[in-house]
Amino acid sequence: MHIISYLALALVITLWTVAQVSLKYTFHVSSQMKMVISIQNLIASQYFWIWFISSTVATILWLYILRTIPLNQAYPALGLTYALVPLTSHSFMKEKVVFTQWLGIVIIVTGIVLVVQK
């Protein structure tokens, strides 16, 4: 397996994290501005387009990854998004992360490291 495949996997994880946080931010900004979420407002939002493009590129890269990395290594690595989304939301949207969530993040990362090892 090539390093390019693993870099693509890291990019997919990053893109899925960006996609989820940007979609959440789309609705967060709309609710703060007391806007009704309509299809027109959604499509006009730059964060919606960040979500759309990130998700699309991640899906296309995922198809490449499925050809180059064993599924038993690649799929569990996607679980990192469960750890990265709360951390990113905490950093960019000032969402609170409580102790039990921090503990869960540590458990998720530890589990992924154990599962993905050869």
Side-chain angles (χ1 to χ4, degrees):
M1 282 156 274
H2 298 94
I3 189 76
I4 301 297
S5 299
Y6 287 98
L7 290 174
L9 180 57
L11 183 57
V12 166
I13 293 165
T14 303
L15 287 171
W16 277 120
T17 301
V18 167
Q20 294 308 309
V21 173
S22 63
L23 190 60
K24 166 69 175 180
Y25 196 73
T26 298
F27 292 105
H28 177 73
V29 168
S30 297
S31 67
Q32 282 186 334
M33 297 175 69
K34 308 287 190 238
M35 291 173 50
V36 176
I37 295 294
S38 67
I39 297 297
Q40 290 172 333
N41 289 343
L42 193 62
I43 291 174
S45 169
Q46 67 182 350
Y47 299 106
F48 170 81
W49 288 104
I50 291 170
W51 166 80
F52 182 80
I53 292 167
S54 297
S55 298
T56 303
V57 172
T59 301
I60 292 167
L61 279 174
W62 182 246
L63 296 174
Y64 165 75
I65 289 165
L66 288 176
R67 293 181 342 157
T68 59
I69 298 177
L71 187 60
N72 65 354
Q73 291 179 352
Y75 192 72
L78 285 181
L80 282 174
T81 59
Y82 291 112
L84 293 175
V85 167
L87 295 175
T88 306
S89 296
H90 175 70
S91 297
F92 290 106
M93 297 174 48
K94 306 303 180 212
E95 290 186 353
K96 188 173 182 173
V97 179
V98 297
F99 175 75
T100 53
Q101 289 172 308
W102 285 110
L103 183 61
I105 289 168
V106 169
I107 291 169
I108 288 169
V109 171
T110 303
I112 290 168
V113 167
L114 293 174
V115 170
V116 172
Q117 287 182 357
K118 293 182 180 183

